Amino acid sequence: MRDAALMPARVCIVEVGPRDGLQNEPSPVSAEVKVGLIERLIDAGVTYVEAASFDSPKWVPQMADGADVLARIGRREGVTLAALVPNMKGLEAALQAGVEEVAVFAAASETFSQKNINCSIDESLARFAPVIAAAREADVRVRGYVSCVLGCPFEGAIDPHAVARVARRLFEMGCYEISLGDTIGAGTPHKTKALIDACMESIPVTALAGHFHDTWGMAIANVAAALARGVATFDSSVSGIGGCPYSPGATGNVATEDVVYLCEGMGIETGIDLYKLADAGAFISQALKRETSSRVARAIEGKRHRETCGT
Ligand code: HMG
Ligand code: MG
C-alpha cells in the first residue's frame, strides 16, 4: 500500500551502470562485457539504459568504445538507449551511433565544472544550448544532469537554490528532465527534501529525477525521501557499481536492486524482475571480480544458497 499522497504509483528506473558504473574502472572492460550487462538488464525489464558516453577518450578512456557497444546491441522495442554528450562533437558521434536520447551534464559547483568538463558553469550552459537544439532538431530527447547537488568534493556545501538555478536553465533550454546528481553521495534525506522543494519552485516534479551515489550509505534513504516528495524517476546502477573520475573518493550509485526492492515494498511498480536483475548484477560483479555493493543482491544470493542447500 502506498502511504503518502505524493507517492508515485510507478517509478522509472534509469539504469546508469553501463556508463556511470563503468566509466571509472581502472582496468579496461571489454565491449563484450558491456553488451552482456546491457542484454541482461533489458531481459530483467529495464526500459532505459544509459549505455555510453561520447566524450574525449583522453578524459574518460573507459567509455571510448560507445559506438561499438551501441552497434552490437541495436535498437530494442520498448527500450531507450541513451548516452552522455559534453559537446557538439559528442552529440554528432552519439547521433551517428543511433542513440534515442542524450544527456548533457552541468554542475552546481564552479570547481567541479572546471575539473569535470574544463569550463565554468556559464560556459557549459552556453556550450549545451546548440547541442540541445541540434538534438531536438534530430528528434532526440535531451536529459540534463546537475552534479554536486548535495555537496562538492572541492567546495563543500552547495546551496539548494544554486542547484535550482542551474536546473531551471537546463529545463528552459529544452531538457525534458533534470537529473539531480549527488555526485559525492554526501546527502541525507532532510537535505534531499530541501533540494527537491527548491527545484520544484520552477520545475514540475514530473521533470525531476534523483541520482544518488552511496558513499555515506544514505542513497536509498534519499530515494525514499525523494519518493515522498513525488519524484518518480531514479538513476541507479546495478550492483551499485561506479563513481566519477573527477570526484575523488565518491563511490557507486544506489544499487538498482535496492531501489526495486524498496519500490516493491511500497507498492510502487517498476516493471523490473528483481531476481533477473540480481543475475545481471552477479554477471557484472563477476566480470569486475568484485563483491556486489547491493544489500538486496546479497540477501537474494543468501536466500538462493539456502534454498539450494535445503537449509
Ligand atoms: P577539453 O580538453 O577542454 O576539450 O575537454 P577540447 O574541445 O579542447 O578538445 C580536446 C581534445 O579532445 C581534442 O582532441 C578534441 O577533438 C577531443 P585533440 O585535438 O587533442 O586530439 N574531444 C573529443 N573527442 C571525442 N569526443 C568528444 C570530444 N570533445 C573533445 N566529445 C571535454 C572538454 C568536455 C571534452 C572533456 O572535459 C571531457 O570529455 N570531459 C568528460 C568528463 C566526464 O565524462 N566525466 C564523467 C561524467 S559526469 C558524471 O559522472 C556525473 C553524473 O554521473 C551525475 C552525478 O553523479 O553528479 C552525470
Ligand atoms: Mg553519477
Side-chain angles (χ1 to χ4, degrees):
M1 193 54 128
R2 286 180 288 124
D3 52 3
L6 291 172
M7 205 74 82
R10 189 177 173 89
V11 149
C12 174
I13 299 284
V14 172
E15 172 60 51
V16 295
R19 193 281 303 170
D20 208 348
L22 296 179
Q23 69 185 7
N24 203 27
E25 278 302 311
S27 312
V29 179
S30 69
E32 198 181 350
V33 167
K34 291 173 183 167
V35 171
L37 171 61
I38 295 168
E39 300 271 13
R40 284 167 177 78
L41 290 165
I42 294 172
D43 189 45
V46 172
T47 56
Y48 193 117
V49 183
E50 199 171 75
S53 178
F54 289 93
D55 35 34
S56 163
K58 285 181 198 146
W59 284 65
V60 189
Q62 192 62 258
M63 292 284 106
D65 58 359
D68 185 20
V69 170
L70 285 159
R72 291 193 200 200
I73 298 164
R75 292 221 167 199
R76 298 297 173 92
E77 184 70 29
V79 177
T80 303
L81 295 171
L84 230 59
V85 296
N87 53 20
M88 198 56 95
K89 186 167 180 160
L91 175 69
E92 282 159 9
L95 292 181
Q96 194 151 15
V99 294
E100 286 133 319
E101 283 200 14
V102 294
V104 294
F105 46 110
S109 142
E110 284 295 350
T111 315
F112 184 80
S113 184
Q114 288 290 352
K115 300 254 185 202
N116 195 39
I117 50 175
N118 207 19
C119 62
S120 70
I121 296 170
D122 279 343
E123 282 164 348
S124 76
L125 295 171
R127 186 184 288 171
F128 295 148
V131 173
I132 295 168
R136 283 162 55 108
E137 187 72 22
D139 267 340
V140 165
R141 298 208 303 168
V142 187
R143 266 186 125 212
Y145 277 104
V146 185
S147 287
C148 299
V149 299
L150 290 166
C152 168
F154 311 105
E155 293 182 14
I158 298 287
D159 176 1
H161 288 95
V163 178
R165 277 194 294 277
V166 178
R168 180 183 175 168
R169 285 174 72 185
L170 286 171
F171 188 61
E172 287 174 349
M173 282 159 65
C175 293
Y176 76 92
E177 184 170 272
I178 308 301
S179 175
L180 300 169
D182 182 12
T183 319
I184 57 169
T188 55
H190 193 71
K191 287 183 180 162
T192 297
K193 178 184 170 301
L195 168 72
I196 290 163
D197 287 350
C199 291
M200 277 170 63
E201 285 171 19
S202 52
I203 300 173
V205 71
T206 47
L208 294 176
H211 177 112
F212 300 107
H213 284 259
D214 200 30
T215 318
W216 291 80
M218 291 291 116
I220 197 71
N222 294 337
V223 170
L227 277 170
R229 302 308 293 157
V231 174
T233 300
F234 292 94
D235 305 353
S236 60
S237 186
V238 72
S239 198
I241 52 174
C244 174
Y246 299 101
S247 175
T251 63
N253 296 83
V254 65
T256 310
E257 297 93 319
D258 297 11
V259 179
V260 170
Y261 183 74
L262 174 75
C263 288
E264 279 184 5
M266 295 171 93
I268 299 170
E269 277 179 50
T270 62
I272 294 175
D273 179 322
L274 183 57
Y275 283 77
K276 284 187 172 180
L277 180 67
D279 291 339
F283 169 81
I284 194 62
S285 297
Q286 205 173 0
L288 300 177
K289 299 185 176 56
R290 190 169 311 146
E291 291 264 306
T292 181
S293 297
S294 163
R295 303 284 288 264
V296 168
R298 262 183 258 153
I300 289 174
E301 226 172 86
K303 184 167 176 269
R304 281 173 164 167
H305 181 71
R306 286 192 300 281
E307 282 166 0
T308 313
C309 300
T311 53

